[in-house]
């Protein structure tokens, strides 16, 4: 669906964005908005919108299927740590980690880019490293974006398409 406050959802945008001239690979980082936005206060995203792990995984599987129909290679990215974000709660962290576990172990995509692993704090894996955090505990800083970009490049071009 389309939410006024959030724009078009991933499924609405996916095929259009993946058919960009010359694309042969899609790198999918998706799911955090589904996890953090339902809060029981905002009528646009009620708590009933909070997906289950299975629903998020089914969404990734649908993206993979659409990408395959378009003849694209597919890489899945783990979801970034978010401790400190204004709607952070343990049940959201459990959901994020469960989806990341699936992403890391699934064999349906061509590879995985483990943003969670490179962005998280060693002493607190639920939070982003300070130098990679923009300050809101959700969005990466410029340095964090560079690290993420480097990880994608390494996964796709330096490691022969293997997981990173």
């Amino acid at each position: 669906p389309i939410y006024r406050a959030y724009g078009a959802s991933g499924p609405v945008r996916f095929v259009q964005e993946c058919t960009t001239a010359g694309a042969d690979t899609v790198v999918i980082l998706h799911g955090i908005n589904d996890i953090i936005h339902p809060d029981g206060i905002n009528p646009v995203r009620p708590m009933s919108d909070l997906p289950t792990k299975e629903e998020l995984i089914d969404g990734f599987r649908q993206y993979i299927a659409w990408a395959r129909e378009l003849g694209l290679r597919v890489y899945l990215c783990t979801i970034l740590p978010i401790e400190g974000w204004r709607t952070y709660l343990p049940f959201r962290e459990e959901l994020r980690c469960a989806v990341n576990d699936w992403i890391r172990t699934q064999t349906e995509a061509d590879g995985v880019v483990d943003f969670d692993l490179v962005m998280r704090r060693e002493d607190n894996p639920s939070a982003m490293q300070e130098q990679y955090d923009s300050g809101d505990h959700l969005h990466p800083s410029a340095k964090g974006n560079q690290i993420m970009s480097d990880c994608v490049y390494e996964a796709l071009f330096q490691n022969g398409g293997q997981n990173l």
Side-chain angles (χ1 to χ4, degrees):
I2 296 178
Y3 295 107
R4 250 180 326 123
Y6 301 108
S9 66
V12 170
R13 299 186 333 255
F14 190 84
V15 172
Q16 178 182 0
E17 292 180 4
C18 285
T19 55
T20 301
D24 64 0
T25 302
V26 60
V27 178
I28 302 170
L29 172 60
H30 196 79
I32 196 60
N33 286 342
D34 298 302
I35 293 171
I36 65 166
H37 284 302
D39 62 7
I41 298 168
N42 183 341
V44 175
R45 292 299 306 266
M47 283 305 290
S48 59
D49 276 1
L50 183 71
T52 64
K53 174 184 99 169
E54 291 76 18
E55 288 170 329
L56 285 168
I57 290 169
D58 287 346
F60 280 109
R61 286 187 165 131
Q62 182 61 65
Y63 289 143
I64 293 167
W66 287 334
R68 297 293 188 220
E69 288 172 13
L70 295 169
L72 301 174
R73 292 185 312 156
V74 183
Y75 286 77
L76 300 181
C77 302
T78 55
I79 303 170
L80 298 173
I82 58 166
E83 184 175 305
W85 174 249
R86 62 184 173 80
T87 63
Y88 176 85
L89 289 167
F91 72 87
R92 297 182 199 279
E93 178 66 10
E94 290 171 19
L95 179 56
R96 183 186 77 83
C97 289
V99 172
N100 280 349
D101 288 345
W102 176 81
I103 289 170
R104 289 180 178 111
T105 60
Q106 58 74 37
T107 58
E108 300 164 44
D110 295 297
V112 173
V113 181
D114 200 339
F115 287 150
D116 175 53
L117 182 64
V118 298
M119 298 288 284
R120 69 186 181 199
R121 291 174 44 177
E122 285 185 38
D123 64 332
N124 181 8
S126 299
M128 236 185 282
Q129 292 184 49
E130 189 174 314
Q131 70 267 25
Y132 300 154
D133 187 341
S134 68
D136 69 3
H137 312 297
L138 174 67
H139 300 95
S141 64
K143 189 172 184 177
N145 284 325
Q146 183 62 57
I147 292 298
M148 292 170 67
S149 175
D150 293 346
C151 287
V152 171
Y153 180 80
E154 289 177 32
L156 271 62
F157 303 109
Q158 298 297 308
N159 294 328
Q162 300 302 309
N163 295 353
L164 180 66

